[in-house]
Structure formats: C-alpha cells, structure tokens
C-alpha cells in the first residue's frame, strides 16, 4: 500500500470528471459576490465603510458576502 503519492500521479487523475461537482459551488460563490457588490454600491450613500466591505466581499470569498448580508446591511437601517 502506497501512502505517499507524488506529482507523477497527478497526470493519471481525470479532473474533467470533477467539473460537474465543483462548478455549482463556484457559481454560487460568484453569484453571492456579485449580488453583494451590486447591493453595496446601490446603497453606498447610506452604507458606512464601503471600501472595507468591498475588500471583505472580494477577499473572503463565500463568507464575505454572507457577512455583508448579515452585518453590513444594518448600516442603512440606523440612518
């Protein structure tokens, strides 16, 4: 039994077989980022820290938009 696999074994893996599994996760993550950025810039007059939220949404891929929708949207309700 071989415990350690080298880089030579990577050529034997069929990565195209994993595309239907990975693609929905990539699409949902991209949609979350896109919707969060659209909402942020539509309401940028009432939002605080627009630049900070932009960096959080873009750099913290899936969790960033979720944090924006949970925490960041409260800024407009206070005004």
């Amino acid at each position: 039994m071989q415990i350690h696999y080298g880089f030579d074994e990577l050529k034997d893996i069929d990565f195209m077989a994993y595309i239907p599994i990975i693609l929905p996760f990539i699409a949902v993550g991209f949609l979350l980022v896109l919707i969060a950025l659209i909402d942020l810039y539509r309401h940028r007059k009432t939002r605080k820290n627009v630049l900070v939220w932009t960096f959080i949404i873009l750099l913290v891929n899936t969790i960033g938009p979720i944090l924006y929708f949970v925490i960041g949207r409260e800024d407009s309700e206070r005004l």
Side-chain angles (χ1 to χ4, degrees):
M1 184 167 110
Q2 185 177 4
I3 295 176
H4 175 69
Y5 294 98
F7 290 112
D8 296 334
E9 283 83 16
L10 286 177
K11 65 180 177 188
D12 298 332
I13 297 174
D14 183 21
F15 289 108
M16 294 305 285
Y18 296 108
I19 295 274
I21 298 169
I22 296 171
L23 197 60
F25 291 103
I26 293 172
V28 167
F30 179 74
L31 281 173
L32 274 173
V33 168
L34 186 67
I35 292 170
L37 286 175
I38 289 171
D39 184 67
L40 178 65
Y41 284 101
R42 278 190 181 168
H43 304 287
R44 66 181 172 265
K45 301 268 192 240
T46 58
R47 299 281 193 258
K48 298 177 184 173
N49 303 323
V50 174
L51 188 62
V52 173
W53 278 114
T54 303
F55 285 128
I56 290 173
I57 290 169
L58 289 175
L59 298 178
V60 188
N61 285 341
T62 305
I63 298 171
I66 294 171
L67 285 174
Y68 169 72
F69 286 123
V70 172
I71 299 170
R73 292 184 63 167
E74 295 175 2
D75 290 343
S76 66
E77 295 170 2
R78 293 181 196 154
L79 296 176

